[in-house]
Each structure stands twice: as structure tokens, then as C-alpha cells.
Amino acid sequence: MAGLRLGPLLRYTDGSSATVWVETSRPCTAAVRCADGAGGTAPTFQVAGHHYALIPVTGLTAGTSTTYEVLLDDTPVWPLPDSPFPPSAIHAPDSEGGLRVAFGSCRWAAPPAGGHDPVGPDALDALATRLVADPEGERPDVLLLLGDQVYADETSETTQRWLAARRDLDDPPGNGVADYEEYTHLYYESWLDSRIRWLLSTVPSFMIFDDHDVIDDWNTSAAWLTDMRATDWWQERLLSGLMSYWVYQHLGNLSPEELAADPVYEGVHKVPDGTDVLRTFASRADADAATARWSYRRDFGRVRLLMVDSRAARVLAEDRRAMLDPGEEAWLREQVLDSPGSYDHLLFGTSLPWLLPHLVHDAEGWNAALCRGERGERWARVGEKVRRAADLEHWSAFPESFAGLAELIAEAGSGRDAPATVCVLSGDVHHAYIAEPSWSGPGPDARVVQLVCSPVHNSVPMSIRMAFRVGWSAVARAFGRGLARHGRLPRPPVGWRKTGGPWFGNQLMTLTLRGRSARLRLEQARTREGKGPRLTTLLDSELAP
């Protein structure tokens, strides 16, 4: 009899359909059966001895909610027997009913040792606790996970013991994961926690990767990539990372129509074992990033979300360094400018912040100039060492891409058909803040904000806390301008100021979008003795009336 190994995860949803992802113990037919008669079935496909299904659910009614169960070969497997949680439900969004978007990044899922969590309470765990306590209360319509859903290079002690039973950890990649099987263990560790499992079964989620989903500094520079490719373990780590991301995260980002047109999805279903099909796809993506698109667009009524791949789509050659390759850049522009006036709010989901503290921004631009040889070969060698040591690889480390995004935002946010808000949603930097850009000439009509929320569950050293606090100061800004002059950098096309934060802790931000109004809330996870974690509101403010 087939069993449920992982899931269900409620992924894509619209007013009439949804997808539900599961991993099963053997080949079978997976089905979702809803209380209102909606449902669907799908056969499993196999990758590296693991069995998966993405079940299309049809017949939903916009603006309604229906509970559901999962069956494998007609045998109910979800909800679990004696579950303490409310029934999992699919809430079909209503295009006129507004949208509540919760987002964050960087969730290190190591289980607490002896009940003590060294990085504090998990914000997703706290969200689940609140929803369980009040199933009819306020809930996100969608959860955006903006990178580092798993940490392939920073494993827990529990995972390291499991790895040590498979191989010698004195050999590279040591405590990091090495292959597809080890990646699956990370997802089990991350998504089998009972509260998280229930939360992901009932709140639709959309995801994008960041560096730790593969390795810290992933695609920092061409020199970094050359060094990694010279090792005997990197190729397997990268291919396994892309393959597992495609299975566990990327598939659920796609609509049923996109899935039907996806040749890789079709290919893994045509053969008894899709490992070679998926490995070939990942190999092509590694050799030429333009052969795979991890970015995607979702329209929720009059809210447009563009999730942007700011890792795998990079151009790393120092003389034409870019965050997005030309095809990806053209795609993004096309999606932003499609059907002007058809959306009231434009959301860019990019794991890496666009607007950083001024000192950090100038340091990254200065470093990029040194690495491309602006001050000669000696400075270029120093610059590469500094780039890797200090993680100088955000949008500001790709100055032309930074400027290009500023221009695209200004164009999208201007004119008679401009949206009310343009929000750049990011994570990565293990704290939260709000920044607002300003243009030297006429600026966009929309309100533009950079919203950074990280981590969901992780920590930040005191030295980094101090650096991010000081980085916004007048003294730091003056020092940054000196670096910019040394790197012969042009003045950036926008200025910006911090209007909120920094806040440190495990946290989530929530945007509530109704008509042309927008409201932002920041909540931080706190511990309640004997009652599980809770979310405490740190900020609740209006972005657009």
C-alpha cells in the first residue's frame, strides 16, 4: 500500500483550480477530494527512487473555502489519523476580494535540541500556531518564500549524523549535502514538522531559490564559478540542487496550463524513472542559464507578482556582468509592461534586496569596479577576495542591473495607468527594513517601496547587526561616497532613504492589498512558555490609502 512520505503542499491556486504536491512511498495514483465536490487525480512520477505527484484540482468556486483529503490508490492518507489540527482547506481567491500576502526568507529548519532552539522561535511555526488556534480568523491568501528554503551548506547536527552514516565527512563536501538523496533529507527535515506540514497543506505557497539552497555565494563571480568547477564534488551538488528544486519547489509555482506545456514535466511522466530526463535538463541549465527559466508571473486579480531568479540567471563575465541574462531581462520587462492598467499593485519578488544601506551599496559597486579592472590587475585580485569574504553580490554589485531595475520600476509606475504601489519584496540579509527610492527628476506616480523581511528562522551575528545599523548613518554614507569615487562609479539613478527598521529577529511581513489600498504589517516570533511561539506585531502601517 502506498504511503504519504511528505506533503501535501497546497501550491498554485486561482479562482477555479489549484495544485497539491505530494511525495509517496511507491508508484500510485494520487487524488484530492474536496468536500464541495471539486478534486483531481494524477499518477506519480519517479526521480532517483522517489515518487511524486502534483495533483491538479478543478471545480473550485472563487471566493469559497473547501476542506480536502488526499487519497493514494483510493485509500485516504490525509488528514493523518488523530490529527490535532483543523482540516486542511483550499481557499479559492476572489479577484474582487483583495489579497493578503505574507513573505519572508531564510528558514534554517534544524530541530531544536532538547526543546531549546538556538536561533529562537520559527516565524512559520508561530503563524501555524495562530491559525490552528483561530481557523476562521485572518489568514494569508498566499505565502511567498523568498529563498533559502533549505540550507545545503549549513546542515544541522541531526543531519550531519545521518550524513556520516552514508559517507566520510572528512571528504568534500564534508557536512554539506552531496547528492539528490541528501537533498531529499533536507526537505524532510524542513517540511515534516507537524505544524509546518499542516500550514503548507492549507496556505498556498510560492517559492524561489537563493544561494544556500545550493551553496553560500552561489554564482558570485566568474572566478568563483571556475574555482568551484575545478573541485570533484561541485557538479553533483549543483545538479542535485537544481533537480531537487525543480521537484520540491519549482513545479508548484506553475499553473496547470504551464505544466501542460512543460517538456520536462511531460518527459518525467513518459518514462519509468525520470532521473535522466531531469538530470539532462539540469545539466543544460548549468551550461547555459538561458535554457531554463525559474522566474515566473502570477496575477491575483489586480495584483501582479513577478518572482525573479536573481541567482541562476546571472551573467558573470566581468565586462558584461548582469543580474539577469538578456533573455531573462527581456522577459521581465515584457511581464511588467503587459496590459497597462490591468493591475493596481506590482510586486517584484527577488531574494536579494535592491536597495541596501548606502555604505553597503557603494561598497558593492566599488568592488564590482575593482574586479572588472578599473584600478588595475592588483586591485582586481584584491577585489575578488573581498567580494567572496564579504558576500558583495546583491543588485548593487551589478550596477547596470540595479539601474535597469530602477528604470523599469519608474516606467511601470508612471502615467495614467500606473499602479498604486510598486513593492520590491526581498530577504537574504537576516533582518527587516523598509526603504523608499527617490528620483532626481519627475518620479513615478506609484508609491515605490523596498520591503525586506528575513529571517523566518535563523540568526545574525552581533557584528553584522552593527554593520547594518551603522550602514545607514551619515558617516557611513560619506565613507561610501569615497569608495564610489575610488571606483570611478557614476551616481546611481535613484536616491533612497530608510523609512523603517532595522528589525532583528525571526519574522514575517504581510501586505494586505484591497482595491488601490495597501497596508503593511511586520510580525516577529516570540516564545510563550508552554503555549508554543506567537507572532507579535512590530509595525502596522498604511502604504497606500
Side-chain angles (χ1 to χ4, degrees), residues 217-228 314 316-318 321 363-364 366-373 376-393 397-398:
D217 296 343
W218 179 27
N219 282 345
T220 288
S221 66
W224 177 92
L225 186 57
T226 296
D227 289 347
M228 297 304 294
R314 296 177 175 187
L316 299 179
E318 295 295 347
R321 190 170 162 83
E364 294 201 353
W366 165 77
N367 179 264
L370 297 188
C371 290
R372 70 170 177 263
E377 290 186 11
R378 177 175 168 272
W379 275 106
R381 289 193 296 271
V382 172
E384 180 62 29
K385 292 179 181 178
V386 171
R387 175 155 61 189
R388 298 190 200 184
D391 288 349
L392 303 182
E393 39 92 44
F398 299 78

Side-chain angles (χ1 to χ4, degrees), residues 105-107 146-154 177 183 186-187 208-221 224 228 233-234 237-238 241-242 245 249 308-312 314 323 350-353 387-388 390-394 427-430 454 458:
S105 80
C106 307
R107 181 172 177 267
L146 296 169
D148 295 344
Q149 275 68 261
V150 293
Y151 279 70
D153 55 343
E154 296 179 15
V177 302
Y183 263 103
L186 293 185
Y187 284 103
I208 195 70
F209 46 46
D210 199 24
D211 54 347
H212 290 285
D213 287 85
V214 177
I215 193 172
D216 188 27
D217 296 343
W218 179 27
N219 282 345
T220 288
S221 66
W224 177 92
M228 297 304 294
W233 59 269
W234 168 247
R237 160 78 74 81
L238 177 64
L242 293 177
Y245 175 80
Q249 298 191 51
V308 182
D309 164 19
S310 51
R311 279 292 167 188
R314 296 177 175 187
M323 185 66 85
T350 169
S351 61
L352 301 173
R387 175 155 61 189
R388 298 190 200 184
D391 288 349
L392 303 182
E393 39 92 44
H394 298 81
D428 179 69
V429 291
H430 288 209
S454 169
N458 215 310

Side-chain angles (χ1 to χ4, degrees), residues 91-367:
H91 303 265
D94 182 351
S95 61
E96 303 300 323
L99 187 73
R100 188 175 289 112
V101 181
F103 63 95
S105 80
C106 307
R107 181 172 177 267
W108 191 62
H116 172 69
D117 194 329
V119 300
D122 186 329
L124 285 190
D125 201 352
L127 174 60
T129 299
R130 183 167 71 191
L131 296 184
V132 169
D134 186 10
E136 302 303 318
E138 178 187 301
R139 59 189 296 122
D141 296 304
V142 63
L143 177 64
L144 305 184
L145 300 176
L146 296 169
D148 295 344
Q149 275 68 261
V150 293
Y151 279 70
D153 55 343
E154 296 179 15
T155 56
S156 68
E157 292 182 6
T158 301
T159 292
Q160 288 170 26
R161 288 193 293 270
W162 181 83
L163 294 174
R166 301 188 81 232
R167 56 181 172 85
D168 188 346
L169 299 190
D170 289 333
D171 297 331
N175 292 335
V177 302
D179 57 24
Y180 187 90
E181 184 64 29
E182 294 178 4
Y183 263 103
T184 67
H185 184 83
L186 293 185
Y187 284 103
Y188 298 154
E189 184 176 64
S190 185
W191 291 351
L192 272 177
D193 172 90
S194 60
R195 281 196 184 96
I196 301 303
R197 190 177 191 182
W198 174 82
L199 176 71
L200 294 178
S201 76
T202 199
V203 176
S205 56
F206 292 89
M207 309 178 188
I208 195 70
F209 46 46
D210 199 24
D211 54 347
H212 290 285
D213 287 85
V214 177
I215 193 172
D216 188 27
D217 296 343
W218 179 27
N219 282 345
T220 288
S221 66
W224 177 92
L225 186 57
T226 296
D227 289 347
M228 297 304 294
R229 286 176 171 170
T231 68
D232 59 6
W233 59 269
W234 168 247
Q235 186 73 0
E236 188 59 38
R237 160 78 74 81
L238 177 64
L239 296 186
S240 296
L242 293 177
M243 292 167 66
S244 60
Y245 175 80
W246 186 90
V247 171
Y248 286 85
Q249 298 191 51
H250 179 68
L251 278 184
N253 296 329
L254 304 181
S255 69
E257 293 76 20
E258 289 167 327
L259 287 168
D262 188 325
V264 183
Y265 189 62
E266 179 184 20
V268 297
H269 279 89
K270 281 186 172 180
V271 293
D273 188 321
T275 306
D276 289 343
V277 172
L278 193 51
R279 191 176 183 86
T280 298
F281 163 75
S283 297
R284 287 200 307 266
D286 174 39
D288 181 3
T291 64
R293 173 157 296 125
W294 305 106
S295 301
Y296 55 94
R297 164 182 160 181
R298 293 276 76 85
D299 287 339
F300 305 93
R302 293 188 60 81
V303 178
R304 179 166 299 173
L305 166 68
L306 294 168
M307 288 285 261
V308 182
D309 164 19
S310 51
R311 279 292 167 188
R314 296 177 175 187
V315 176
L316 299 179
E318 295 295 347
D319 60 343
R320 50 190 179 90
R321 190 170 162 83
M323 185 66 85
L324 308 177
D325 65 49
E328 194 80 4
E329 186 176 21
W331 175 88
L332 181 61
R333 179 177 178 79
E334 179 183 353
Q335 305 310 310
V336 169
L337 301 180
D338 181 37
S339 304
S342 64
Y343 53 85
D344 292 320
H345 303 277
L346 176 61
L347 310 180
F348 290 92
T350 169
S351 61
L352 301 173
W354 172 53
L355 301 178
L356 288 163
H358 298 97
L359 174 58
V360 180
H361 175 92
D362 289 332
E364 294 201 353
W366 165 77
N367 179 264

Side-chain angles (χ1 to χ4, degrees), residues 398-420:
F398 299 78
E400 291 187 6
S401 297
F402 175 91
L405 184 55
E407 293 169 5
L408 182 58
I409 287 172
E411 185 174 355
S414 300
R416 183 182 61 185
D417 296 323

